[in-house]
Amino acid sequence: MKVDNPLSREFLTSYPNEAARVLEQVPDEHVAALFNALPLQICSPVLAAMVPEKAVACFLMFSDALMAKLVSVLPIVSLARIYRLLSSTKQAELLAVLSDKPRSQLRRYMAYSPTSAGALLNPVVDLLPENITVADAIRRFEKVEHTLACDIYIVNDAHKLTGVVELGKLFITSHHVLLRTIMKRKTLSIPAHVNASSLLLHPGWKTHRRLPMVERDGTLIGALDYSYLQETLGESDGMVMNDPLENMLSLAGLYWLSLAQLLDSVLGIARANRGDKK
């Protein structure tokens, strides 16, 4: 995709969501180089549409000048997705280049009560856009370096949680099928602003050890692990709580953990094989 190609510019300008899906499959350094050479009004909507992990990887490669300009025009919601995944040092650098108004807006958006679920947020989750194919999803996972979770969260173009797909299901589904057609739409999630102590009775813990966390508008912002919730509340209240999954799902948990490790090994072999062919 050449910067001076009129068709490329038209595609990026008219179809930022579709462009984001394409660029998410391009090496980070190439995307960063493209954005560094593009006008701000073209690259900012595309960056805002990207999945957070890819957006952050590219963001860290931008020139200081582009970074300073982008943070001033990105919607606060989009900026928050990037901010959550930055190191504390990079977060401070980002805040430093913001003017007073957007800095205050970002801080208000990121602020959660110490007793809320949002205070326990883990912003690092495995997620995919709903309008990509199974084949595309598998290709993306071949590039990750971490162990994949059993549940893959699915989001729409506005980054709102729309469903979940079990990792194992991807490998037994026809590769041309879109994720939105196979995802489970009835997804138990956690509102970020509810009181954390009330979550011990959340029905989702009966079947999952991790649940997605959403903002008031349904935007996926991360996840909450039951073990972390239990540990945090146990320390603060001096209580020892029973894990509702300990008996019912112990075998199922071992099964899915083994499957995830197997799939991770298979993807690792695939990556190694591609490296040998280079």
Side-chain angles (χ1 to χ4, degrees), residues 68-170:
K69 292 177 181 177
L70 274 172
V71 298
S72 67
V73 299
L74 280 173
I76 293 300
V77 174
S78 302
L79 189 59
R81 283 197 292 272
I82 293 174
Y83 183 86
R84 286 190 183 97
L85 295 178
L86 293 175
S87 66
S88 57
T89 301
K90 289 297 181 181
Q91 286 179 344
E93 292 178 7
L94 187 154
L95 289 174
V97 299
L98 284 174
S99 59
D100 291 341
K101 183 176 180 180
R103 187 188 302 123
S104 298
Q105 290 175 331
L106 179 61
R107 283 175 169 163
R108 283 199 302 271
Y109 188 85
M110 300 291 295
Y112 296 109
S113 162
T115 60
S116 70
L120 307 179
L121 171 70
N122 179 356
V124 181
V125 293
D126 294 317
L127 62 87
L128 290 170
E130 65 179 7
N131 57 353
I132 66 172
T133 65
V134 170
D136 187 18
I138 293 174
R139 281 195 297 270
R140 291 178 183 226
F141 285 148
E142 288 177 351
K143 302 174 185 178
V144 303
E145 301 298 330
H146 61 272
T147 300
L148 295 169
C150 296
D151 288 336
I152 309 300
Y153 303 132
I154 310 300
V155 297
N156 62 16
D157 289 337
H159 290 268
K160 290 180 172 54
L161 179 67
T162 56
V164 62
V165 172
E166 292 175 350
L167 180 60
K169 189 171 185 178
L170 290 177

Side-chain angles (χ1 to χ4, degrees), residues 22-97:
V22 173
L23 293 178
E24 283 164 359
Q25 302 178 69
V26 177
D28 303 336
E29 59 271 20
H30 297 326
V31 180
L34 176 67
F35 280 8
N36 277 316
L38 283 172
L40 197 63
Q41 67 269 23
I42 294 180
C43 62
S44 57
V46 180
L47 181 69
M50 284 183 167
V51 294
E53 185 177 359
K54 182 70 174 184
V56 169
C58 296
F59 186 82
L60 294 174
M61 295 184 179
F62 292 156
S63 65
D64 291 342
L66 177 60
M67 184 188 76
K69 292 177 181 177
L70 274 172
V71 298
S72 67
V73 299
L74 280 173
I76 293 300
V77 174
S78 302
L79 189 59
R81 283 197 292 272
I82 293 174
Y83 183 86
R84 286 190 183 97
L85 295 178
L86 293 175
S87 66
S88 57
T89 301
K90 289 297 181 181
Q91 286 179 344
E93 292 178 7
L94 187 154
L95 289 174
V97 299

